């Protein structure tokens, strides 16, 4: 899934990386002297795929290591998944261990994708933006026919 080298351990600081599993995005963190942590990449507040970029801290009350979402500073425990400053939110967390590679214990893709799958939430986010803008419907416009080859899109 991810190599230890994907996390910049040589600097001695906290490091993180985003990885894809099926259609789901995960954030993996390495906290020196504490270990590895894995969570969903999507912040549940505004469905932003961003937690990998959050600041990691230590909750003075519970002692739990948390990631603070860079968007609106909701703090999620890297072990419990609980939001430490807003009970309305929580994230999925997963067991991780390092054996040369970083191993994450995950449910089947078919179980996880319906919950945190990227395409599911990206589509909903796009729809919400359109509806917020006052549009009544979404029109999907295809590419000009000359950019198609044999009925398939060229990437
Ligand atoms: S999007 Fe993460 S706190 Fe708002």
């Amino acid at each position: 899934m991810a190599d230890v080298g994907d996390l910049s351990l040589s600097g001695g600081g906290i490091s993180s990386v985003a990885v894809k599993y099926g259609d789901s995005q995960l954030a993996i963190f390495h906290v020196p002297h504490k270990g590895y942590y894995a969570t969903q990449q999507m912040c549940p507040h505004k469905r932003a795929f961003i937690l990998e970029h959050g600041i990691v801290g230590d909750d003075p009350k519970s002692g739990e290591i948390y990631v603070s979402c860079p968007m609106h500073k909701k703090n999620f425990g890297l072990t419990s998944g609980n939001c430490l400053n807003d009970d309305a939110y929580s994230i999925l967390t997963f067991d991780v261990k390092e054996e040369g590679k970083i191993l994450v214990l995950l449910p089947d893709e078919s179980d996880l994708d319906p919950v945190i799958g990227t395409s599911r939430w990206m589509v909903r986010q796009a729809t919400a933006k359109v509806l917020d803008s006052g549009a009544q419907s979404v029109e999907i416009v295809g590419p000009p026919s000359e950019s198609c080859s044999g009925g398939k899109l060229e990437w």
Side-chain angles (χ1 to χ4, degrees):
M1 175 167 219
D3 286 318
V4 172
D6 293 337
L7 295 162
S8 49
L9 306 179
S10 55
I14 294 167
S15 54
S16 57
V17 65
V19 297
K20 199 134 185 243
Y21 171 70
D23 190 40
S24 298
Q25 294 182 43
L26 310 176
I28 299 177
F29 302 88
H30 178 255
V31 183
H33 311 297
K34 299 284 185 183
Y36 291 89
Y37 301 88
T39 70
Q40 67 186 54
Q41 166 78 328
M42 181 182 70
C43 175
H45 179 225
K46 294 290 183 186
R47 315 286 184 201
F49 291 83
I50 199 164
L51 289 181
E52 162 219 3
H53 297 293
I55 305 255
V56 173
D58 211 334
D59 183 52
K61 275 194 215 153
S62 65
E64 188 171 10
I65 308 288
Y66 66 83
V67 60
S68 185
C69 176
M71 298 283 282
H72 311 100
K73 309 293 182 236
K74 295 202 184 293
N75 299 337
F76 298 96
L78 291 181
T79 303
S80 69
N82 295 330
C83 184
L84 305 177
N85 52 1
D86 190 335
D87 290 343
Y89 298 98
S90 65
I91 58 171
L92 297 177
T93 62
F94 309 97
D95 286 342
V96 192
K97 65 179 177 180
E98 188 257 310
E99 291 180 355
K101 285 184 175 286
I102 299 164
L103 305 176
V104 183
L105 184 60
L106 295 166
D108 278 349
E109 291 174 14
S110 58
D111 292 329
L112 199 55
D113 286 348
V115 182
I116 59 169
T118 308
S119 51
R120 170 191 162 108
W121 292 109
M122 288 290 201
V123 168
R124 284 195 177 191
Q125 193 173 43
T127 305
K129 278 184 185 159
V130 168
L131 294 177
D132 279 352
S133 73
Q136 297 301 308
S137 64
V138 178
E139 184 181 358
I140 298 175
V141 181
S145 56
E146 59 270 15
S147 68
C148 294
S149 130
K152 292 187 174 176
L153 292 175
E154 291 183 38
W155 293 95

